[in-house]
């Protein structure tokens, strides 16, 4: 699903392996102005959630405003980075001579260039647009066609052609980022991201972010998938490994071996992580007393929950509750 746009027409001619070489994990965001900060925030949120799902700091980023270019000295973007130019949907972004010089150099230097909204005018004005297919917001289609007749206007809200990706606006920008992550780290990562961000309807059974992370690590192993769902459905009344194995029709030894091979940890450790993730959510989102939280998450007492919670998150449950209701200092 998420690789569909990447594989279409020009992208397909060079193959997915060639495309992957233009997908960097390090992003440089340059926005048209403060009015589009929320669009930048949405893109960064996609990368933060991707890091959570992938269980590592897989993606990193740097953010600049167009005004930052006034005093910029040096290269904005390295050859191993993806440049993301984010514009609005009400006014064409055509930089002045000084900014254009810096942005032209950045576009030429970047491993991949992404344009959102009115940022489509930046590479066009710079004369360095390599791709011939773009997703363009309806407000700018006439202007783009006036600047060049060589552009094929893609009918979708996102488009990935050669080493350039495009999105028509703020919501499409998040979808574009999801698609880039999917092409880099697999379709499951993209589906999990899309569901977590509310960009697609959930189908069938679903679970927490921790659940989705373990699903990705399982690489489709049916035994683990069934066991994870059983754990998610029984966070309060904790089942034993033997009970889970019996319900899904395998031996406890096979269950232990499957978890060890795919997830690198025991079923009990995974089960505990799912329950702690639920505890963290309840602490951050409700005023439920600690005692009730521990019971709701299958812990026999508060002391035990505190110990495991601190080991996993490096902070105490009371700290999470305090930050949730008072904010961080």
């Amino acid at each position: 699903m998420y690789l569909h746009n990447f594989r279409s027409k020009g992208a397909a001619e060079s193959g997915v392996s060639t495309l992957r070489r233009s997908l960097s994990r390090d992003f440089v965001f340059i926005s048209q102005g403060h009015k589009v900060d929320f669009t930048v925030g949405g893109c960064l949120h996609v990368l933060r959630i991707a890091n959570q799902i992938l269980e590592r700091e897989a993606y990193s980023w740097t953010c600049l405003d167009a005004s930052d270019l006034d005093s910029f000295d040096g290269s904005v973007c390295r050859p191993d980075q993806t440049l993301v130019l984010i514009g609005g949907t009400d006014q064409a972004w055509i930089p002045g001579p000084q900014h254009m010089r810096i942005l032209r150099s950045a576009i030429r230097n970047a491993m991949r260039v992404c344009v959102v909204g009115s940022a489509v005018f930046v590479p066009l004005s710079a004369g360095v647009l390599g791709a011939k297919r773009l997703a363009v917001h309806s407000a700018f289609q006439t202007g783009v066609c006036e600047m060049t007749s060589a552009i094929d206007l893609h009918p979708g809200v996102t488009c990935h052609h050669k080493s350039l990706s495009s999105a028509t606006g703020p919501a499409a920008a998040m979808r574009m980022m999801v698609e880039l992550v999917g092409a880099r780290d697999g379709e499951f990562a993209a589906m999990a991201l899309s569901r977590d961000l509310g960009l697609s309807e959930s189908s069938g059974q679903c679970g927490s972010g921790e659940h989705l992370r373990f699903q990705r690590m399982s690489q489709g192993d049916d035994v683990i998938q069934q066991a994870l769902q059983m754990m998610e459905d029984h966070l309060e009344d904790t089942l034993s490994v033997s009970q889970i194995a019996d319900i899904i029709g395998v031996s406890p030894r096979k269950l232990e071996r499957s978890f060890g091979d795919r997830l690198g940890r025991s079923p009990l450790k995974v089960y505990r992580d799912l329950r702690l993730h639920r505890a963290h959510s309840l602490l951050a989102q409700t005023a439920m007393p600690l005692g009730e939280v521990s019971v709701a998450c299958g812990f026999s007492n508060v002391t035990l929950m505190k110990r495991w919670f601190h080991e996993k998150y490096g902070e105490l449950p009371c700290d999470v509750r305090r930050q949730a209701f008072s904010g961080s200092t």
Side-chain angles (χ1 to χ4, degrees):
M1 175 181 176
Y2 292 97
L3 291 178
H4 176 73
N5 283 345
F6 284 96
R7 288 174 176 163
S8 63
K9 298 183 181 180
E13 294 171 3
S14 56
V16 176
S17 61
T18 303
L19 171 68
R20 284 179 60 86
R21 289 197 292 271
S22 71
L23 295 174
S24 169
R25 295 186 184 277
D26 191 2
F27 289 78
V28 175
F29 291 88
I30 302 179
S31 64
Q32 184 177 7
H34 293 301
K35 288 184 178 180
V36 295
D37 282 350
F38 71 98
T39 306
V40 178
C43 293
L44 297 185
H45 186 61
V46 172
L47 297 181
R48 291 191 187 99
I49 299 300
N51 283 344
Q52 292 178 19
I53 291 173
L54 297 171
E55 203 180 6
R56 65 184 188 278
E57 295 301 307
Y59 293 94
S60 57
W61 53 85
T62 302
C63 296
L64 298 171
D65 186 89
S67 60
D68 294 327
L69 302 179
D70 292 334
S71 57
F72 203 89
D73 183 22
S75 178
V76 175
C77 186
R78 301 192 310 267
D80 62 340
Q81 293 178 309
T82 294
L83 176 65
V84 185
L85 301 173
I86 296 186
T89 55
D90 55 352
Q91 182 179 2
W93 181 7
I94 302 179
Q98 180 184 350
H99 288 185
M100 183 64 77
R101 175 180 57 80
I102 298 172
L103 291 170
R104 182 184 290 113
S105 174
I107 293 170
R108 286 174 171 166
N109 212 26
M111 177 179 288
R112 186 172 196 85
V113 177
C114 305
V115 293
V116 177
S118 63
V120 67
F121 290 100
V122 178
L124 282 172
S125 301
V128 290
L129 187 66
K132 300 300 182 184
R133 189 175 304 114
L134 287 167
V136 180
H137 192 280
S138 58
F140 304 126
Q141 290 182 2
T142 301
V144 167
C145 291
E146 286 179 350
M147 291 185 73
T148 175
S149 60
I151 295 295
D152 175 15
L153 297 179
H154 185 72
V157 295
T158 66
C159 180
H160 308 275
H161 182 54
K162 297 184 178 178
S163 60
L164 188 137
S165 296
S166 52
T168 57
M174 294 182 70
R175 186 174 296 279
M176 176 186 72
M177 297 302 295
V178 169
E179 291 166 354
L180 290 173
V181 171
R184 189 71 178 77
D185 287 295
E187 189 168 347
F188 182 85
M191 288 190 296
L193 261 177
S194 189
R195 287 171 55 186
D196 189 271
L197 295 166
L199 297 176
S200 67
E201 295 290 338
S202 296
S203 58
Q205 297 170 321
C206 61
S208 64
E210 194 84 341
H211 184 179
L212 292 172
R213 181 169 64 85
F214 287 130
Q215 276 191 315
R216 181 192 63 81
M217 294 170 64
S218 74
Q219 300 178 22
D221 186 290
D222 188 57
V223 170
I224 297 178
Q225 300 276 354
Q226 292 184 63
L228 285 173
Q229 192 60 52
M230 290 303 304
M231 293 173 180
E232 189 75 27
D233 292 341
H234 296 83
L235 294 179
E236 183 174 347
D237 49 329
T238 310
L239 303 174
S240 68
V241 173
S242 296
Q243 288 174 314
I244 295 173
D246 184 58
I247 292 172
I248 64 177
V250 298
S251 68
R253 180 175 175 78
K254 178 176 175 56
L255 187 62
E256 293 273 2
R257 187 169 59 250
S258 296
F259 272 68
D261 291 344
R262 295 289 191 181
L263 308 185
R265 63 203 80 187
S266 69
L268 286 180
K269 175 68 166 60
V270 171
Y271 206 170
R272 186 168 67 236
D273 281 348
L274 291 172
R275 289 153 53 211
L276 287 170
H277 183 81
R278 174 62 174 163
H280 193 287
S281 296
L282 291 176
L283 289 165
Q285 300 170 20
T286 75
M288 187 182 294
L290 286 184
E292 294 182 20
V293 171
S294 65
V295 171
C297 299
F299 294 98
S300 57
N301 57 71
V302 174
T303 302
L304 185 63
M305 184 186 75
K306 285 182 177 179
R307 187 180 73 174
W308 291 121
F309 194 94
H310 185 269
E311 181 177 305
K312 179 174 175 62
Y313 295 108
E315 57 185 348
L316 293 171
C318 58
D319 296 328
V320 175
R321 174 59 54 80
R322 187 183 305 112
Q323 291 168 12
F325 284 83
S326 304
S328 300
T329 57

